PDB file of all heavy atoms in Angstrom:
ATOM      1  N   MET A 658      85.241 136.222  95.729  1.00  0.00           N
ATOM      2  CA  MET A 658      85.830 137.111  96.715  1.00  0.00           C
ATOM      3  C   MET A 658      87.196 136.569  97.075  1.00  0.00           C
ATOM      4  O   MET A 658      87.310 135.671  97.898  1.00  0.00           O
ATOM      5  CB  MET A 658      84.959 137.127  97.969  1.00  0.00           C
ATOM      6  CG  MET A 658      83.740 137.976  97.789  1.00  0.00           C
ATOM      7  SD  MET A 658      82.499 137.702  99.071  1.00  0.00           S
ATOM      8  CE  MET A 658      83.375 136.913 100.361  1.00  0.00           C
ATOM      9  N   LYS A 659      88.203 137.085  96.438  1.00  0.00           N
ATOM     10  CA  LYS A 659      89.550 136.532  96.649  1.00  0.00           C
ATOM     11  C   LYS A 659      90.417 137.581  97.330  1.00  0.00           C
ATOM     12  O   LYS A 659      90.278 138.785  97.074  1.00  0.00           O
ATOM     13  CB  LYS A 659      90.195 136.171  95.298  1.00  0.00           C
ATOM     14  CG  LYS A 659      89.294 135.367  94.374  1.00  0.00           C
ATOM     15  CD  LYS A 659      88.942 134.005  94.935  1.00  0.00           C
ATOM     16  CE  LYS A 659      88.109 133.246  93.906  1.00  0.00           C
ATOM     17  NZ  LYS A 659      87.555 132.005  94.477  1.00  0.00           N
ATOM     18  N   PRO A 660      91.336 137.125  98.171  1.00  0.00           N
ATOM     19  CA  PRO A 660      92.183 138.081  98.893  1.00  0.00           C
ATOM     20  C   PRO A 660      93.231 138.708  97.974  1.00  0.00           C
ATOM     21  O   PRO A 660      93.515 138.206  96.896  1.00  0.00           O
ATOM     22  CB  PRO A 660      92.848 137.218  99.963  1.00  0.00           C
ATOM     23  CG  PRO A 660      92.810 135.834  99.432  1.00  0.00           C
ATOM     24  CD  PRO A 660      91.605 135.740  98.531  1.00  0.00           C
ATOM     25  N   GLU A 662      97.209 139.980  97.222  1.00  0.00           N
ATOM     26  CA  GLU A 662      98.474 139.247  97.367  1.00  0.00           C
ATOM     27  C   GLU A 662      99.144 139.565  98.695  1.00  0.00           C
ATOM     28  O   GLU A 662      99.001 140.674  99.227  1.00  0.00           O
ATOM     29  CB  GLU A 662      99.429 139.661  96.238  1.00  0.00           C
ATOM     30  CG  GLU A 662      99.060 139.037  94.906  1.00  0.00           C
ATOM     31  CD  GLU A 662     100.053 139.408  93.820  1.00  0.00           C
ATOM     32  OE1 GLU A 662     100.386 140.599  93.704  1.00  0.00           O
ATOM     33  OE2 GLU A 662     100.470 138.500  93.092  1.00  0.00           O
ATOM     34  N   LEU A 688      98.317 135.041 111.449  1.00  0.00           N
ATOM     35  CA  LEU A 688      97.326 134.040 111.048  1.00  0.00           C
ATOM     36  C   LEU A 688      97.392 132.905 112.043  1.00  0.00           C
ATOM     37  O   LEU A 688      98.401 132.223 112.153  1.00  0.00           O
ATOM     38  CB  LEU A 688      97.632 133.522 109.636  1.00  0.00           C
ATOM     39  CG  LEU A 688      96.721 132.407 109.129  1.00  0.00           C
ATOM     40  CD1 LEU A 688      95.295 132.904 108.935  1.00  0.00           C
ATOM     41  CD2 LEU A 688      97.258 131.835 107.818  1.00  0.00           C
ATOM     42  N   VAL A 695      90.447 135.640 107.730  1.00  0.00           N
ATOM     43  CA  VAL A 695      90.367 135.302 106.307  1.00  0.00           C
ATOM     44  C   VAL A 695      89.063 135.786 105.652  1.00  0.00           C
ATOM     45  O   VAL A 695      89.092 136.246 104.515  1.00  0.00           O
ATOM     46  CB  VAL A 695      90.628 133.801 106.067  1.00  0.00           C
ATOM     47  CG1 VAL A 695      90.633 133.480 104.568  1.00  0.00           C
ATOM     48  CG2 VAL A 695      91.974 133.396 106.656  1.00  0.00           C
ATOM     49  N   ASN A 699      89.066 137.904 102.338  1.00  0.00           N
ATOM     50  CA  ASN A 699      88.312 137.543 101.137  1.00  0.00           C
ATOM     51  C   ASN A 699      87.405 138.684 100.682  1.00  0.00           C
ATOM     52  O   ASN A 699      87.213 138.913  99.494  1.00  0.00           O
ATOM     53  CB  ASN A 699      87.505 136.264 101.363  1.00  0.00           C
ATOM     54  CG  ASN A 699      88.377 135.014 101.418  1.00  0.00           C
ATOM     55  OD1 ASN A 699      89.564 135.057 101.090  1.00  0.00           O
ATOM     56  ND2 ASN A 699      87.803 133.903 101.835  1.00  0.00           N
ATOM     57  N   HIS A 760      80.375 127.644 115.365  1.00  0.00           N
ATOM     58  CA  HIS A 760      79.963 126.301 114.984  1.00  0.00           C
ATOM     59  C   HIS A 760      81.174 125.390 114.992  1.00  0.00           C
ATOM     60  O   HIS A 760      82.316 125.845 115.035  1.00  0.00           O
ATOM     61  CB  HIS A 760      79.348 126.332 113.576  1.00  0.00           C
ATOM     62  CG  HIS A 760      78.140 127.202 113.503  1.00  0.00           C
ATOM     63  ND1 HIS A 760      76.902 126.798 113.956  1.00  0.00           N
ATOM     64  CD2 HIS A 760      77.984 128.465 113.060  1.00  0.00           C
ATOM     65  CE1 HIS A 760      76.048 127.786 113.783  1.00  0.00           C
ATOM     66  NE2 HIS A 760      76.662 128.807 113.238  1.00  0.00           N
ATOM     67  N   HIS A 761      80.904 124.110 114.905  1.00  0.00           N
ATOM     68  CA  HIS A 761      81.926 123.097 115.078  1.00  0.00           C
ATOM     69  C   HIS A 761      83.183 123.332 114.250  1.00  0.00           C
ATOM     70  O   HIS A 761      84.291 123.350 114.795  1.00  0.00           O
ATOM     71  CB  HIS A 761      81.328 121.722 114.770  1.00  0.00           C
ATOM     72  CG  HIS A 761      82.301 120.607 114.943  1.00  0.00           C
ATOM     73  ND1 HIS A 761      82.637 120.094 116.182  1.00  0.00           N
ATOM     74  CD2 HIS A 761      83.059 119.944 114.038  1.00  0.00           C
ATOM     75  CE1 HIS A 761      83.541 119.142 116.022  1.00  0.00           C
ATOM     76  NE2 HIS A 761      83.813 119.025 114.735  1.00  0.00           N
ATOM     77  N   ASN A 765      86.976 124.243 115.424  1.00  0.00           N
ATOM     78  CA  ASN A 765      88.128 123.365 115.177  1.00  0.00           C
ATOM     79  C   ASN A 765      89.397 124.171 114.924  1.00  0.00           C
ATOM     80  O   ASN A 765      90.495 123.748 115.272  1.00  0.00           O
ATOM     81  CB  ASN A 765      87.861 122.472 113.951  1.00  0.00           C
ATOM     82  CG  ASN A 765      87.143 121.173 114.315  1.00  0.00           C
ATOM     83  OD1 ASN A 765      87.069 120.808 115.488  1.00  0.00           O
ATOM     84  ND2 ASN A 765      86.620 120.501 113.318  1.00  0.00           N
ATOM     85  N   HIS A 846      71.191 129.766 116.552  1.00  0.00           N
ATOM     86  CA  HIS A 846      72.216 129.108 117.344  1.00  0.00           C
ATOM     87  C   HIS A 846      73.591 129.386 116.727  1.00  0.00           C
ATOM     88  O   HIS A 846      73.761 129.270 115.513  1.00  0.00           O
ATOM     89  CB  HIS A 846      71.948 127.603 117.354  1.00  0.00           C
ATOM     90  CG  HIS A 846      73.012 126.839 118.058  1.00  0.00           C
ATOM     91  ND1 HIS A 846      73.099 126.809 119.428  1.00  0.00           N
ATOM     92  CD2 HIS A 846      74.062 126.139 117.594  1.00  0.00           C
ATOM     93  CE1 HIS A 846      74.158 126.073 119.769  1.00  0.00           C
ATOM     94  NE2 HIS A 846      74.751 125.656 118.676  1.00  0.00           N
TER      95      HIS A 846
ATOM     96  N   GLU B 362     100.633 129.808  95.086  1.00  0.00           N
ATOM     97  CA  GLU B 362     100.735 131.209  95.471  1.00  0.00           C
ATOM     98  C   GLU B 362     100.190 131.313  96.885  1.00  0.00           C
ATOM     99  O   GLU B 362      99.195 130.646  97.207  1.00  0.00           O
ATOM    100  CB  GLU B 362      99.837 131.989  94.490  1.00  0.00           C
ATOM    101  CG  GLU B 362     100.041 133.469  94.482  1.00  0.00           C
ATOM    102  CD  GLU B 362      98.932 134.200  93.720  1.00  0.00           C
ATOM    103  OE1 GLU B 362      97.949 133.580  93.286  1.00  0.00           O
ATOM    104  OE2 GLU B 362      99.078 135.420  93.580  1.00  0.00           O
ATOM    105  N   ARG B 364      98.248 133.332  98.426  1.00  0.00           N
ATOM    106  CA  ARG B 364      96.856 133.693  98.635  1.00  0.00           C
ATOM    107  C   ARG B 364      95.860 132.693  98.059  1.00  0.00           C
ATOM    108  O   ARG B 364      94.650 132.861  98.236  1.00  0.00           O
ATOM    109  CB  ARG B 364      96.565 135.081  98.061  1.00  0.00           C
ATOM    110  CG  ARG B 364      96.688 135.174  96.544  1.00  0.00           C
ATOM    111  CD  ARG B 364      96.147 136.509  96.082  1.00  0.00           C
ATOM    112  NE  ARG B 364      96.478 136.792  94.696  1.00  0.00           N
ATOM    113  CZ  ARG B 364      95.921 137.789  94.011  1.00  0.00           C
ATOM    114  NH1 ARG B 364      95.033 138.586  94.592  1.00  0.00           N
ATOM    115  NH2 ARG B 364      96.260 137.997  92.743  1.00  0.00           N
ATOM    116  N   ASP B 369      89.971 126.709  96.282  1.00  0.00           N
ATOM    117  CA  ASP B 369      90.334 126.865  94.870  1.00  0.00           C
ATOM    118  C   ASP B 369      91.434 125.897  94.469  1.00  0.00           C
ATOM    119  O   ASP B 369      91.450 125.374  93.360  1.00  0.00           O
ATOM    120  CB  ASP B 369      90.778 128.314  94.604  1.00  0.00           C
ATOM    121  CG  ASP B 369      89.622 129.287  94.683  1.00  0.00           C
ATOM    122  OD1 ASP B 369      88.478 128.866  94.410  1.00  0.00           O
ATOM    123  OD2 ASP B 369      89.855 130.467  95.017  1.00  0.00           O
ATOM    124  N   GLU B 385      82.456 131.888 100.575  1.00  0.00           N
ATOM    125  CA  GLU B 385      83.819 132.405 100.774  1.00  0.00           C
ATOM    126  C   GLU B 385      83.932 133.339 101.976  1.00  0.00           C
ATOM    127  O   GLU B 385      84.831 134.179 102.025  1.00  0.00           O
ATOM    128  CB  GLU B 385      84.351 133.089  99.499  1.00  0.00           C
ATOM    129  CG  GLU B 385      84.714 132.054  98.439  1.00  0.00           C
ATOM    130  CD  GLU B 385      85.318 132.629  97.179  1.00  0.00           C
ATOM    131  OE1 GLU B 385      84.852 133.688  96.719  1.00  0.00           O
ATOM    132  OE2 GLU B 385      86.256 132.002  96.651  1.00  0.00           O
ATOM    133  N   ALA B 400      87.086 118.811 110.664  1.00  0.00           N
ATOM    134  CA  ALA B 400      86.276 119.559 109.705  1.00  0.00           C
ATOM    135  C   ALA B 400      86.730 121.009 109.676  1.00  0.00           C
ATOM    136  O   ALA B 400      86.840 121.648 110.723  1.00  0.00           O
ATOM    137  CB  ALA B 400      84.798 119.482 110.105  1.00  0.00           C
ATOM    138  N   CYS B 404      87.473 127.431 102.449  1.00  0.00           N
ATOM    139  CA  CYS B 404      87.498 128.803 101.919  1.00  0.00           C
ATOM    140  C   CYS B 404      88.183 129.766 102.882  1.00  0.00           C
ATOM    141  O   CYS B 404      88.462 130.902 102.520  1.00  0.00           O
ATOM    142  CB  CYS B 404      86.082 129.306 101.635  1.00  0.00           C
ATOM    143  SG  CYS B 404      85.104 129.732 103.104  1.00  0.00           S
ATOM    144  N   LEU B 405      88.441 129.324 104.100  1.00  0.00           N
ATOM    145  CA  LEU B 405      89.123 130.185 105.073  1.00  0.00           C
ATOM    146  C   LEU B 405      90.543 129.682 105.348  1.00  0.00           C
ATOM    147  O   LEU B 405      91.158 130.076 106.331  1.00  0.00           O
ATOM    148  CB  LEU B 405      88.342 130.228 106.392  1.00  0.00           C
ATOM    149  CG  LEU B 405      86.935 130.807 106.363  1.00  0.00           C
ATOM    150  CD1 LEU B 405      86.392 130.927 107.785  1.00  0.00           C
ATOM    151  CD2 LEU B 405      86.905 132.177 105.678  1.00  0.00           C
ATOM    152  N   GLN B 410      99.069 126.787 103.762  1.00  0.00           N
ATOM    153  CA  GLN B 410      99.081 126.386 105.172  1.00  0.00           C
ATOM    154  C   GLN B 410      99.053 124.877 105.347  1.00  0.00           C
ATOM    155  O   GLN B 410      99.326 124.377 106.438  1.00  0.00           O
ATOM    156  CB  GLN B 410      97.830 126.909 105.876  1.00  0.00           C
ATOM    157  CG  GLN B 410      97.768 128.385 106.116  1.00  0.00           C
ATOM    158  CD  GLN B 410      96.472 128.710 106.828  1.00  0.00           C
ATOM    159  OE1 GLN B 410      95.476 129.079 106.206  1.00  0.00           O
ATOM    160  NE2 GLN B 410      96.480 128.575 108.125  1.00  0.00           N
ATOM    161  N   GLU B 456      83.738 113.424 110.272  1.00  0.00           N
ATOM    162  CA  GLU B 456      84.500 113.691 111.490  1.00  0.00           C
ATOM    163  C   GLU B 456      83.754 113.147 112.705  1.00  0.00           C
ATOM    164  O   GLU B 456      84.341 112.493 113.569  1.00  0.00           O
ATOM    165  CB  GLU B 456      84.778 115.186 111.674  1.00  0.00           C
ATOM    166  CG  GLU B 456      85.675 115.430 112.892  1.00  0.00           C
ATOM    167  CD  GLU B 456      85.740 116.862 113.372  1.00  0.00           C
ATOM    168  OE1 GLU B 456      85.576 117.792 112.555  1.00  0.00           O
ATOM    169  OE2 GLU B 456      85.986 117.044 114.584  1.00  0.00           O
ATOM    170  N   GLU B 471      72.657 120.612 116.797  1.00  0.00           N
ATOM    171  CA  GLU B 471      73.580 121.727 117.052  1.00  0.00           C
ATOM    172  C   GLU B 471      74.884 121.526 116.299  1.00  0.00           C
ATOM    173  O   GLU B 471      75.448 122.472 115.757  1.00  0.00           O
ATOM    174  CB  GLU B 471      73.872 121.854 118.550  1.00  0.00           C
ATOM    175  CG  GLU B 471      72.780 122.575 119.309  1.00  0.00           C
ATOM    176  CD  GLU B 471      73.163 122.898 120.742  1.00  0.00           C
ATOM    177  OE1 GLU B 471      74.364 122.918 121.067  1.00  0.00           O
ATOM    178  OE2 GLU B 471      72.241 123.141 121.530  1.00  0.00           O
ATOM    179  N   SER B 474      74.647 122.586 112.789  1.00  0.00           N
ATOM    180  CA  SER B 474      74.140 123.938 112.538  1.00  0.00           C
ATOM    181  C   SER B 474      75.117 124.797 111.750  1.00  0.00           C
ATOM    182  O   SER B 474      74.752 125.870 111.274  1.00  0.00           O
ATOM    183  CB  SER B 474      73.774 124.636 113.855  1.00  0.00           C
ATOM    184  OG  SER B 474      74.935 124.798 114.647  1.00  0.00           O
ATOM    185  N   GLY B 475      76.339 124.370 111.620  1.00  0.00           N
ATOM    186  CA  GLY B 475      77.306 125.131 110.838  1.00  0.00           C
ATOM    187  C   GLY B 475      77.304 124.781 109.361  1.00  0.00           C
ATOM    188  O   GLY B 475      78.125 125.281 108.602  1.00  0.00           O
TER     189      GLY B 475
END
Side-chain angles (χ1 to χ4, degrees):
Chain A
M658 282 166 18
K659 312 296 183 189
E662 284 183 313
L688 176 66
V695 184
N699 288 349
H760 299 281
H761 181 78
N765 272 346
H846 176 76
Chain B
E362 194 192 6
R364 66 170 168 168
D369 290 332
E385 286 183 320
C404 74
L405 297 187
Q410 289 180 264
E456 185 194 331
E471 280 189 20
S474 63

